[in-house]
Amino acid sequence: RKPGGGDAGGDPGRGSASEGAAGASGSAGSQEAPAPQAAIQVTIDGTSYSARLNGTQAAESLKPLLPLTLSFRDFSAGFEEKIADLNQPLAYDQMPAGDDPAPDIAYWSPGQRIVLYWGNVARYDGIHVIGSFDSGSAVEAIRALTPSSSVTISASGAPSS
């Protein structure tokens, strides 16, 4: 499975997600202990769901970008995930090469995307889990996302719009 299509180097016709980004190397590198978890809110069409960033390198590099409003879309028919493009890569060179997300928030490094999973999927290189929802109530909202849905990720306690 490759969230967002393309090969391991990114989408066809696009450069690698790590081009021009210091610290965004795809090598496994040395793995450092994650920072403490950070509370966030994921607001979907006006309803807020509490979640946590897990303190990994990619999660920490997402925090300065918050609040962030993204447009999610289906990855592909039959896959239990929604994807949204980021304008810049997140650092991940000190993280494992891949993860096995359950209903989680993840970063797809080859395509520079945030991925919201509503089901359990297999481990895949390039997937980096960066957080999770505090309860299962977000699962149906994620599944129902459409390209016209408004999704904002913000630090907990920060305005979501």
Side-chain angles (χ1 to χ4, degrees), residues 22-143:
S25 163
S27 66
S30 64
Q31 297 173 21
E32 60 185 39
Q37 292 191 357
I40 60 169
Q41 293 291 316
V42 178
T43 304
I44 301 172
D45 291 331
T47 301
S48 291
Y49 301 92
S50 59
R52 299 203 174 273
L53 292 178
N54 61 16
T56 58
Q57 184 186 23
E60 288 297 304
S61 66
L62 178 66
K63 284 171 38 176
L65 305 178
L66 302 180
L68 187 62
T69 299
L70 299 168
S71 178
F72 283 85
R73 63 191 181 280
D74 289 324
F75 162 58
S76 184
F79 290 93
E80 297 176 335
E81 60 199 75
K82 301 285 183 169
I83 59 172
D85 296 321
L86 289 175
N87 290 331
Q88 65 188 64
L90 302 179
Y92 64 93
D93 63 319
Q94 295 178 11
M95 295 179 67
D99 266 318
D100 180 7
D104 281 317
I105 303 165
Y107 175 60
W108 170 243
S109 56
Q112 199 170 303
R113 293 189 170 107
I114 296 295
V115 186
L116 300 179
Y117 292 94
W118 72 81
N120 194 2
V121 298
R123 182 196 180 284
Y124 199 85
D125 281 354
I127 297 171
H128 309 282
V129 173
I130 60 172
S132 59
F133 289 92
D134 290 342
S135 73
S137 63
V139 170
E140 286 306 314
I142 295 167
R143 185 188 323 251

Side-chain angles (χ1 to χ4, degrees), residues 7-20 109-112:
D7 59 21
D11 286 345
R14 290 179 46 174
S16 167
S18 62
E19 285 179 8
S109 56
Q112 199 170 303

